[in-house]
Amino acid sequence: MALSNTLIAGINFAAMLLSIPIIAAGIWLTTQTDNSCVKLLQWPVIVVGIIVLLIGLTGFVGALWRLPSLLLFYLVTMLLVILILAALVIFIFVVTSGGSDRAVPNRIYKEYRLEDYSGWLRRRVESSEKWDRIRTCLSSTSTCSELNQTYRLAQDFFYASLTPLQSGCCKPPTDCGYTFVNPTYWISPINPMIEGDCMQWSNDQTQLCYACDSCKAGLLANLSREWRRADLILLLSLVALIFIYVAGCYAFRASKTDKLFSQYKQGYYNS
């Protein structure tokens, strides 16, 4: 019985440790400029990680102090958390499965289109109320200003590997025909296009292309990349958590069987 309880305690301690990469994934998302402005995924991930930690701690205490009620609570609630985590992993995969970059002639960087992304993601940025808050946050960062310190010449900039956020928000779309002065200052063409993002561009360093659909698309492309990385961590944690949960169920069942067998032997010898 003691061995079984020790084993269950060890299994639950391992479940506690699995909360670390989940929480770390959420904290990592909060450090990314786009995620810190949008504030969609990081807190659900952190909350799930904290719940895994608390439930694992409950099971660990229950096994250490031989409290079957706590162990049963652990098994029931951990199953629910596993289902929630699985749903979160699938959800992230589905909403980030769309979207793609588009090659630009004579450029290394890519450009992005808002319509390529999932409807759920687009709804997070399309409304003016939501986007006004996000663009204010983005414009307050060094995402675009740091380009001026890195790229002095047009040729260097054209062959730069820009992030989707930089490509969409810090420069006008290439099709608009603007002339490069520096990464965030461009001369308007003689006959500018009057549709779409071409009329949204401004050399005002607080405006740039933050009002452009290309900026929204670049933001979603950035989010998708980062969410997929976090989703991989969540998926690996989920698989490990399922394995640990199954092992915990088996150990709990074994401990109950040992207890019943021990009671049976005591009754047999007393008779």
Side-chain angles (χ1 to χ4, degrees), residues 26-69:
I27 293 175
W28 175 75
L29 287 174
T30 64
T31 65
Q32 307 305 303
T33 300
D34 48 351
N35 276 280
S36 64
C37 289
V38 178
K39 298 178 181 178
L40 285 176
L41 184 64
Q42 55 266 48
W43 289 113
V45 172
I46 291 174
V47 169
V48 169
I50 292 174
I51 292 174
V52 171
L53 174 63
L54 294 177
I55 294 175
L57 179 61
T58 300
F60 179 75
V61 171
L64 210 59
W65 293 91
R66 301 183 182 182
L67 301 173
S69 59

mmCIF file of all heavy atoms in Angstrom, residues 26-69:
data_model
loop_
_atom_site.group_PDB
_atom_site.id
_atom_site.type_symbol
_atom_site.label_atom_id
_atom_site.label_comp_id
_atom_site.label_asym_id
_atom_site.label_seq_id
_atom_site.Cartn_x
_atom_site.Cartn_y
_atom_site.Cartn_z
ATOM 1 N N GLY A 26 2.453 30.321 -22.097
ATOM 2 C CA GLY A 26 1.607 31.495 -21.937
ATOM 3 C C GLY A 26 2.410 32.747 -21.634
ATOM 4 O O GLY A 26 2.144 33.814 -22.188
ATOM 5 N N ILE A 27 3.415 32.616 -20.763
ATOM 6 C CA ILE A 27 4.263 33.764 -20.426
ATOM 7 C C ILE A 27 5.054 34.214 -21.653
ATOM 8 O O ILE A 27 5.214 35.420 -21.900
ATOM 9 C CB ILE A 27 5.209 33.406 -19.261
ATOM 10 C CG1 ILE A 27 4.393 33.178 -17.982
ATOM 11 C CG2 ILE A 27 6.247 34.506 -19.046
ATOM 12 C CD1 ILE A 27 5.214 32.705 -16.808
ATOM 13 N N TRP A 28 5.542 33.255 -22.453
ATOM 14 C CA TRP A 28 6.274 33.604 -23.670
ATOM 15 C C TRP A 28 5.388 34.416 -24.613
ATOM 16 O O TRP A 28 5.845 35.398 -25.214
ATOM 17 C CB TRP A 28 6.766 32.344 -24.369
ATOM 18 C CG TRP A 28 7.419 32.621 -25.685
ATOM 19 C CD1 TRP A 28 8.660 33.139 -25.905
ATOM 20 C CD2 TRP A 28 6.847 32.409 -26.989
ATOM 21 N NE1 TRP A 28 8.899 33.268 -27.251
ATOM 22 C CE2 TRP A 28 7.814 32.829 -27.940
ATOM 23 C CE3 TRP A 28 5.626 31.906 -27.433
ATOM 24 C CZ2 TRP A 28 7.570 32.755 -29.312
ATOM 25 C CZ3 TRP A 28 5.388 31.832 -28.797
ATOM 26 C CH2 TRP A 28 6.354 32.251 -29.718
ATOM 27 N N LEU A 29 4.124 34.039 -24.728
ATOM 28 C CA LEU A 29 3.210 34.777 -25.593
ATOM 29 C C LEU A 29 3.032 36.218 -25.106
ATOM 30 O O LEU A 29 2.904 37.137 -25.925
ATOM 31 C CB LEU A 29 1.843 34.080 -25.647
ATOM 32 C CG LEU A 29 1.784 32.771 -26.462
ATOM 33 C CD1 LEU A 29 0.417 32.119 -26.312
ATOM 34 C CD2 LEU A 29 2.095 33.019 -27.929
ATOM 35 N N THR A 30 3.019 36.418 -23.802
ATOM 36 C CA THR A 30 2.853 37.778 -23.285
ATOM 37 C C THR A 30 4.046 38.669 -23.619
ATOM 38 O O THR A 30 3.917 39.897 -23.635
ATOM 39 C CB THR A 30 2.664 37.787 -21.754
ATOM 40 O OG1 THR A 30 3.854 37.300 -21.116
ATOM 41 C CG2 THR A 30 1.480 36.934 -21.342
ATOM 42 N N THR A 31 5.201 38.059 -23.888
ATOM 43 C CA THR A 31 6.397 38.850 -24.208
ATOM 44 C C THR A 31 6.451 39.248 -25.679
ATOM 45 O O THR A 31 7.306 40.056 -26.062
ATOM 46 C CB THR A 31 7.674 38.069 -23.857
ATOM 47 O OG1 THR A 31 7.778 36.892 -24.693
ATOM 48 C CG2 THR A 31 7.671 37.642 -22.396
ATOM 49 N N GLN A 32 5.586 38.680 -26.516
ATOM 50 C CA GLN A 32 5.566 39.001 -27.935
ATOM 51 C C GLN A 32 4.707 40.244 -28.165
ATOM 52 O O GLN A 32 3.597 40.345 -27.644
ATOM 53 C CB GLN A 32 5.025 37.822 -28.749
ATOM 54 C CG GLN A 32 5.748 36.510 -28.482
ATOM 55 C CD GLN A 32 7.247 36.620 -28.686
ATOM 56 O OE1 GLN A 32 7.711 36.998 -29.758
ATOM 57 N NE2 GLN A 32 8.011 36.278 -27.659
ATOM 58 N N THR A 33 5.231 41.169 -28.976
ATOM 59 C CA THR A 33 4.564 42.457 -29.172
ATOM 60 C C THR A 33 3.121 42.311 -29.618
ATOM 61 O O THR A 33 2.214 42.936 -29.053
ATOM 62 C CB THR A 33 5.334 43.289 -30.220
ATOM 63 O OG1 THR A 33 6.662 43.516 -29.758
ATOM 64 C CG2 THR A 33 4.639 44.619 -30.458
ATOM 65 N N ASP A 34 2.891 41.492 -30.631
ATOM 66 C CA ASP A 34 1.538 41.366 -31.173
ATOM 67 C C ASP A 34 0.582 40.744 -30.166
ATOM 68 O O ASP A 34 -0.546 41.199 -29.995
ATOM 69 C CB ASP A 34 1.552 40.565 -32.477
ATOM 70 C CG ASP A 34 2.367 39.285 -32.349
ATOM 71 O OD1 ASP A 34 3.043 39.102 -31.333
ATOM 72 O OD2 ASP A 34 2.327 38.469 -33.293
ATOM 73 N N ASN A 35 1.025 39.696 -29.474
ATOM 74 C CA ASN A 35 0.166 39.044 -28.491
ATOM 75 C C ASN A 35 -0.137 39.951 -27.307
ATOM 76 O O ASN A 35 -1.247 39.924 -26.764
ATOM 77 C CB ASN A 35 0.810 37.740 -28.009
ATOM 78 C CG ASN A 35 0.523 36.568 -28.929
ATOM 79 O OD1 ASN A 35 -0.543 35.976 -28.869
ATOM 80 N ND2 ASN A 35 1.468 36.252 -29.803
ATOM 81 N N SER A 36 0.853 40.742 -26.915
ATOM 82 C CA SER A 36 0.622 41.651 -25.788
ATOM 83 C C SER A 36 -0.385 42.734 -26.143
ATOM 84 O O SER A 36 -1.062 43.283 -25.266
ATOM 85 C CB SER A 36 1.940 42.282 -25.340
ATOM 86 O OG SER A 36 2.486 43.099 -26.362
ATOM 87 N N CYS A 37 -0.500 43.055 -27.438
ATOM 88 C CA CYS A 37 -1.478 44.057 -27.878
ATOM 89 C C CYS A 37 -2.861 43.454 -28.086
ATOM 90 O O CYS A 37 -3.873 44.099 -27.800
ATOM 91 C CB CYS A 37 -1.004 44.720 -29.169
ATOM 92 S SG CYS A 37 0.416 45.839 -28.967
ATOM 93 N N VAL A 38 -2.912 42.231 -28.582
ATOM 94 C CA VAL A 38 -4.204 41.610 -28.885
ATOM 95 C C VAL A 38 -4.820 40.972 -27.639
ATOM 96 O O VAL A 38 -6.020 41.027 -27.408
ATOM 97 C CB VAL A 38 -4.042 40.558 -30.003
ATOM 98 C CG1 VAL A 38 -5.364 39.875 -30.296
ATOM 99 C CG2 VAL A 38 -3.519 41.218 -31.268
ATOM 100 N N LYS A 39 -4.001 40.299 -26.834
ATOM 101 C CA LYS A 39 -4.435 39.686 -25.569
ATOM 102 C C LYS A 39 -5.573 38.697 -25.778
ATOM 103 O O LYS A 39 -6.673 38.865 -25.254
ATOM 104 C CB LYS A 39 -4.852 40.768 -24.573
ATOM 105 C CG LYS A 39 -3.740 41.718 -24.179
ATOM 106 C CD LYS A 39 -4.208 42.789 -23.228
ATOM 107 C CE LYS A 39 -3.074 43.743 -22.878
ATOM 108 N NZ LYS A 39 -3.501 44.850 -21.982
ATOM 109 N N LEU A 40 -5.289 37.636 -26.530
ATOM 110 C CA LEU A 40 -6.295 36.614 -26.789
ATOM 111 C C LEU A 40 -5.963 35.266 -26.156
ATOM 112 O O LEU A 40 -6.778 34.691 -25.447
ATOM 113 C CB LEU A 40 -6.466 36.420 -28.305
ATOM 114 C CG LEU A 40 -7.226 37.491 -29.072
ATOM 115 C CD1 LEU A 40 -7.211 37.174 -30.559
ATOM 116 C CD2 LEU A 40 -8.660 37.587 -28.571
ATOM 117 N N LEU A 41 -4.759 34.766 -26.404
ATOM 118 C CA LEU A 41 -4.451 33.382 -26.067
ATOM 119 C C LEU A 41 -3.646 33.218 -24.785
ATOM 120 O O LEU A 41 -3.787 32.210 -24.094
ATOM 121 C CB LEU A 41 -3.685 32.735 -27.234
ATOM 122 C CG LEU A 41 -3.359 31.248 -27.085
ATOM 123 C CD1 LEU A 41 -4.635 30.423 -27.037
ATOM 124 C CD2 LEU A 41 -2.470 30.776 -28.227
ATOM 125 N N GLN A 42 -2.797 34.192 -24.454
ATOM 126 C CA GLN A 42 -1.837 33.957 -23.386
ATOM 127 C C GLN A 42 -2.479 33.640 -22.040
ATOM 128 O O GLN A 42 -2.029 32.728 -21.329
ATOM 129 C CB GLN A 42 -0.861 35.126 -23.244
ATOM 130 C CG GLN A 42 -1.492 36.496 -23.037
ATOM 131 C CD GLN A 42 -1.677 37.231 -24.339
ATOM 132 O OE1 GLN A 42 -2.188 36.680 -25.303
ATOM 133 N NE2 GLN A 42 -1.259 38.490 -24.388
ATOM 134 N N TRP A 43 -3.545 34.365 -21.684
ATOM 135 C CA TRP A 43 -4.131 34.138 -20.371
ATOM 136 C C TRP A 43 -4.890 32.817 -20.275
ATOM 137 O O TRP A 43 -4.790 32.139 -19.235
ATOM 138 C CB TRP A 43 -5.016 35.324 -19.989
ATOM 139 C CG TRP A 43 -4.190 36.535 -19.682
ATOM 140 C CD1 TRP A 43 -4.126 37.706 -20.383
ATOM 141 C CD2 TRP A 43 -3.240 36.678 -18.618
ATOM 142 N NE1 TRP A 43 -3.212 38.567 -19.825
ATOM 143 C CE2 TRP A 43 -2.647 37.963 -18.734
ATOM 144 C CE3 TRP A 43 -2.835 35.846 -17.580
ATOM 145 C CZ2 TRP A 43 -1.681 38.429 -17.849
ATOM 146 C CZ3 TRP A 43 -1.865 36.311 -16.691
ATOM 147 C CH2 TRP A 43 -1.305 37.589 -16.830
ATOM 148 N N PRO A 44 -5.643 32.384 -21.283
ATOM 149 C CA PRO A 44 -6.215 31.030 -21.212
ATOM 150 C C PRO A 44 -5.155 29.954 -21.037
ATOM 151 O O PRO A 44 -5.353 28.997 -20.270
ATOM 152 C CB PRO A 44 -6.936 30.888 -22.557
ATOM 153 C CG PRO A 44 -7.307 32.277 -22.926
ATOM 154 C CD PRO A 44 -6.169 33.131 -22.451
ATOM 155 N N VAL A 45 -4.019 30.084 -21.724
ATOM 156 C CA VAL A 45 -2.946 29.094 -21.595
ATOM 157 C C VAL A 45 -2.367 29.118 -20.184
ATOM 158 O O VAL A 45 -2.159 28.063 -19.561
ATOM 159 C CB VAL A 45 -1.832 29.362 -22.629
ATOM 160 C CG1 VAL A 45 -0.627 28.464 -22.371
ATOM 161 C CG2 VAL A 45 -2.365 29.125 -24.042
ATOM 162 N N ILE A 46 -2.106 30.306 -19.655
ATOM 163 C CA ILE A 46 -1.556 30.419 -18.297
ATOM 164 C C ILE A 46 -2.531 29.851 -17.270
ATOM 165 O O ILE A 46 -2.130 29.127 -16.346
ATOM 166 C CB ILE A 46 -1.231 31.889 -17.976
ATOM 167 C CG1 ILE A 46 -0.044 32.359 -18.824
ATOM 168 C CG2 ILE A 46 -0.902 32.065 -16.492
ATOM 169 C CD1 ILE A 46 0.272 33.837 -18.687
ATOM 170 N N VAL A 47 -3.816 30.151 -17.432
ATOM 171 C CA VAL A 47 -4.827 29.652 -16.487
ATOM 172 C C VAL A 47 -4.886 28.131 -16.515
ATOM 173 O O VAL A 47 -4.942 27.480 -15.452
ATOM 174 C CB VAL A 47 -6.212 30.259 -16.814
ATOM 175 C CG1 VAL A 47 -7.310 29.545 -16.031
ATOM 176 C CG2 VAL A 47 -6.222 31.747 -16.485
ATOM 177 N N VAL A 48 -4.866 27.534 -17.714
ATOM 178 C CA VAL A 48 -4.868 26.070 -17.816
ATOM 179 C C VAL A 48 -3.634 25.490 -17.126
ATOM 180 O O VAL A 48 -3.720 24.490 -16.400
ATOM 181 C CB VAL A 48 -4.919 25.622 -19.287
ATOM 182 C CG1 VAL A 48 -4.660 24.120 -19.408
ATOM 183 C CG2 VAL A 48 -6.280 25.955 -19.900
ATOM 184 N N GLY A 49 -2.476 26.117 -17.318
ATOM 185 C CA GLY A 49 -1.255 25.644 -16.676
ATOM 186 C C GLY A 49 -1.346 25.707 -15.162
ATOM 187 O O GLY A 49 -0.925 24.772 -14.462
ATOM 188 N N ILE A 50 -1.907 26.788 -14.639
ATOM 189 C CA ILE A 50 -2.056 26.925 -13.189
ATOM 190 C C ILE A 50 -3.025 25.877 -12.644
ATOM 191 O O ILE A 50 -2.795 25.289 -11.571
ATOM 192 C CB ILE A 50 -2.536 28.348 -12.836
ATOM 193 C CG1 ILE A 50 -1.435 29.369 -13.148
ATOM 194 C CG2 ILE A 50 -2.933 28.442 -11.360
ATOM 195 C CD1 ILE A 50 -1.859 30.810 -12.970
ATOM 196 N N ILE A 51 -4.095 25.613 -13.383
ATOM 197 C CA ILE A 51 -5.059 24.588 -12.952
ATOM 198 C C ILE A 51 -4.401 23.217 -12.911
ATOM 199 O O ILE A 51 -4.612 22.436 -11.971
ATOM 200 C CB ILE A 51 -6.288 24.584 -13.879
ATOM 201 C CG1 ILE A 51 -7.085 25.882 -13.696
ATOM 202 C CG2 ILE A 51 -7.181 23.383 -13.590
ATOM 203 C CD1 ILE A 51 -8.238 26.033 -14.663
ATOM 204 N N VAL A 52 -3.599 22.904 -13.928
ATOM 205 C CA VAL A 52 -2.867 21.632 -13.932
ATOM 206 C C VAL A 52 -1.959 21.545 -12.710
ATOM 207 O O VAL A 52 -1.869 20.500 -12.051
ATOM 208 C CB VAL A 52 -2.043 21.477 -15.228
ATOM 209 C CG1 VAL A 52 -1.105 20.269 -15.136
ATOM 210 C CG2 VAL A 52 -2.960 21.317 -16.430
ATOM 211 N N LEU A 53 -1.294 22.634 -12.385
ATOM 212 C CA LEU A 53 -0.414 22.676 -11.212
ATOM 213 C C LEU A 53 -1.191 22.412 -9.928
ATOM 214 O O LEU A 53 -0.776 21.593 -9.086
ATOM 215 C CB LEU A 53 0.283 24.031 -11.145
ATOM 216 C CG LEU A 53 1.141 24.309 -9.893
ATOM 217 C CD1 LEU A 53 2.301 23.332 -9.817
ATOM 218 C CD2 LEU A 53 1.638 25.744 -9.901
ATOM 219 N N LEU A 54 -2.330 23.080 -9.766
ATOM 220 C CA LEU A 54 -3.116 22.935 -8.538
ATOM 221 C C LEU A 54 -3.717 21.542 -8.407
ATOM 222 O O LEU A 54 -3.731 20.958 -7.312
ATOM 223 C CB LEU A 54 -4.222 23.996 -8.507
ATOM 224 C CG LEU A 54 -3.746 25.454 -8.401
ATOM 225 C CD1 LEU A 54 -4.938 26.408 -8.459
ATOM 226 C CD2 LEU A 54 -2.946 25.668 -7.123
ATOM 227 N N ILE A 55 -4.203 21.003 -9.518
ATOM 228 C CA ILE A 55 -4.793 19.661 -9.461
ATOM 229 C C ILE A 55 -3.714 18.620 -9.189
ATOM 230 O O ILE A 55 -3.915 17.679 -8.408
ATOM 231 C CB ILE A 55 -5.536 19.352 -10.776
ATOM 232 C CG1 ILE A 55 -6.746 20.272 -10.914
ATOM 233 C CG2 ILE A 55 -5.983 17.888 -10.809
ATOM 234 C CD1 ILE A 55 -7.483 20.122 -12.227
ATOM 235 N N GLY A 56 -2.544 18.779 -9.832
ATOM 236 C CA GLY A 56 -1.434 17.870 -9.558
ATOM 237 C C GLY A 56 -1.014 17.934 -8.100
ATOM 238 O O GLY A 56 -0.700 16.908 -7.479
ATOM 239 N N LEU A 57 -1.013 19.130 -7.527
ATOM 240 C CA LEU A 57 -0.676 19.304 -6.115
ATOM 241 C C LEU A 57 -1.703 18.615 -5.226
ATOM 242 O O LEU A 57 -1.349 17.983 -4.220
ATOM 243 C CB LEU A 57 -0.597 20.794 -5.785
ATOM 244 C CG LEU A 57 -0.275 21.161 -4.336
ATOM 245 C CD1 LEU A 57 1.089 20.612 -3.937
ATOM 246 C CD2 LEU A 57 -0.325 22.672 -4.142
ATOM 247 N N THR A 58 -2.983 18.719 -5.614
ATOM 248 C CA THR A 58 -4.043 18.046 -4.855
ATOM 249 C C THR A 58 -3.836 16.537 -4.845
ATOM 250 O O THR A 58 -3.934 15.886 -3.792
ATOM 251 C CB THR A 58 -5.423 18.371 -5.465
ATOM 252 O OG1 THR A 58 -5.643 19.776 -5.422
ATOM 253 C CG2 THR A 58 -6.527 17.658 -4.708
ATOM 254 N N GLY A 59 -3.543 15.972 -6.012
ATOM 255 C CA GLY A 59 -3.296 14.530 -6.087
ATOM 256 C C GLY A 59 -2.051 14.125 -5.317
ATOM 257 O O GLY A 59 -2.021 13.069 -4.677
ATOM 258 N N PHE A 60 -1.024 14.969 -5.364
ATOM 259 C CA PHE A 60 0.222 14.675 -4.644
ATOM 260 C C PHE A 60 -0.026 14.643 -3.142
ATOM 261 O O PHE A 60 0.426 13.712 -2.441
ATOM 262 C CB PHE A 60 1.258 15.738 -4.988
ATOM 263 C CG PHE A 60 2.572 15.567 -4.292
ATOM 264 C CD1 PHE A 60 3.465 14.579 -4.684
ATOM 265 C CD2 PHE A 60 2.917 16.385 -3.224
ATOM 266 C CE1 PHE A 60 4.683 14.418 -4.041
ATOM 267 C CE2 PHE A 60 4.128 16.244 -2.572
ATOM 268 C CZ PHE A 60 5.011 15.253 -2.978
ATOM 269 N N VAL A 61 -0.764 15.629 -2.632
ATOM 270 C CA VAL A 61 -1.080 15.669 -1.198
ATOM 271 C C VAL A 61 -1.968 14.483 -0.821
ATOM 272 O O VAL A 61 -1.767 13.842 0.226
ATOM 273 C CB VAL A 61 -1.774 16.998 -0.838
ATOM 274 C CG1 VAL A 61 -2.301 16.972 0.594
ATOM 275 C CG2 VAL A 61 -0.813 18.162 -1.015
ATOM 276 N N GLY A 62 -2.953 14.166 -1.684
ATOM 277 C CA GLY A 62 -3.840 13.046 -1.401
ATOM 278 C C GLY A 62 -3.099 11.724 -1.323
ATOM 279 O O GLY A 62 -3.397 10.878 -0.466
ATOM 280 N N ALA A 63 -2.115 11.539 -2.211
ATOM 281 C CA ALA A 63 -1.335 10.292 -2.180
ATOM 282 C C ALA A 63 -0.386 10.267 -0.996
ATOM 283 O O ALA A 63 -0.205 9.223 -0.349
ATOM 284 C CB ALA A 63 -0.548 10.152 -3.483
ATOM 285 N N LEU A 64 0.202 11.408 -0.681
ATOM 286 C CA LEU A 64 1.182 11.470 0.401
ATOM 287 C C LEU A 64 0.527 11.239 1.755
ATOM 288 O O LEU A 64 1.088 10.563 2.626
ATOM 289 C CB LEU A 64 1.876 12.828 0.370
ATOM 290 C CG LEU A 64 3.321 12.899 0.875
ATOM 291 C CD1 LEU A 64 4.218 11.968 0.069
ATOM 292 C CD2 LEU A 64 3.837 14.323 0.803
ATOM 293 N N TRP A 65 -0.679 11.793 1.925
ATOM 294 C CA TRP A 65 -1.386 11.667 3.189
ATOM 295 C C TRP A 65 -2.448 10.574 3.166
ATOM 296 O O TRP A 65 -3.233 10.457 4.109
ATOM 297 C CB TRP A 65 -2.037 13.003 3.550
ATOM 298 C CG TRP A 65 -1.035 14.070 3.857
ATOM 299 C CD1 TRP A 65 -0.480 14.963 2.995
ATOM 300 C CD2 TRP A 65 -0.427 14.322 5.131
ATOM 301 N NE1 TRP A 65 0.435 15.762 3.636
ATOM 302 C CE2 TRP A 65 0.481 15.394 4.961
ATOM 303 C CE3 TRP A 65 -0.564 13.762 6.405
ATOM 304 C CZ2 TRP A 65 1.245 15.905 5.995
ATOM 305 C CZ3 TRP A 65 0.196 14.266 7.441
ATOM 306 C CH2 TRP A 65 1.085 15.332 7.240
ATOM 307 N N ARG A 66 -2.484 9.800 2.096
ATOM 308 C CA ARG A 66 -3.399 8.666 1.967
ATOM 309 C C ARG A 66 -4.857 9.095 2.156
ATOM 310 O O ARG A 66 -5.581 8.591 3.013
ATOM 311 C CB ARG A 66 -3.044 7.562 2.969
ATOM 312 C CG ARG A 66 -1.627 7.046 2.798
ATOM 313 C CD ARG A 66 -1.317 5.926 3.732
ATOM 314 N NE ARG A 66 0.060 5.479 3.595
ATOM 315 C CZ ARG A 66 0.604 4.468 4.289
ATOM 316 N NH1 ARG A 66 -0.138 3.800 5.156
ATOM 317 N NH2 ARG A 66 1.862 4.135 4.106
ATOM 318 N N LEU A 67 -5.250 10.066 1.323
ATOM 319 C CA LEU A 67 -6.617 10.588 1.357
ATOM 320 C C LEU A 67 -7.322 10.216 0.056
ATOM 321 O O LEU A 67 -7.176 10.905 -0.960
ATOM 322 C CB LEU A 67 -6.600 12.107 1.533
ATOM 323 C CG LEU A 67 -5.906 12.632 2.796
ATOM 324 C CD1 LEU A 67 -5.806 14.149 2.766
ATOM 325 C CD2 LEU A 67 -6.655 12.175 4.042
ATOM 326 N N PRO A 68 -8.053 9.101 0.041
ATOM 327 C CA PRO A 68 -8.698 8.626 -1.196
ATOM 328 C C PRO A 68 -9.635 9.660 -1.825
ATOM 329 O O PRO A 68 -9.762 9.721 -3.045
ATOM 330 C CB PRO A 68 -9.482 7.387 -0.736
ATOM 331 C CG PRO A 68 -8.777 6.938 0.511
ATOM 332 C CD PRO A 68 -8.300 8.203 1.168
ATOM 333 N N SER A 69 -10.292 10.484 -1.006
ATOM 334 C CA SER A 69 -11.224 11.480 -1.551
ATOM 335 C C SER A 69 -10.494 12.507 -2.411
ATOM 336 O O SER A 69 -10.989 12.908 -3.470
ATOM 337 C CB SER A 69 -11.964 12.183 -0.413
ATOM 338 O OG SER A 69 -11.041 12.818 0.467
#
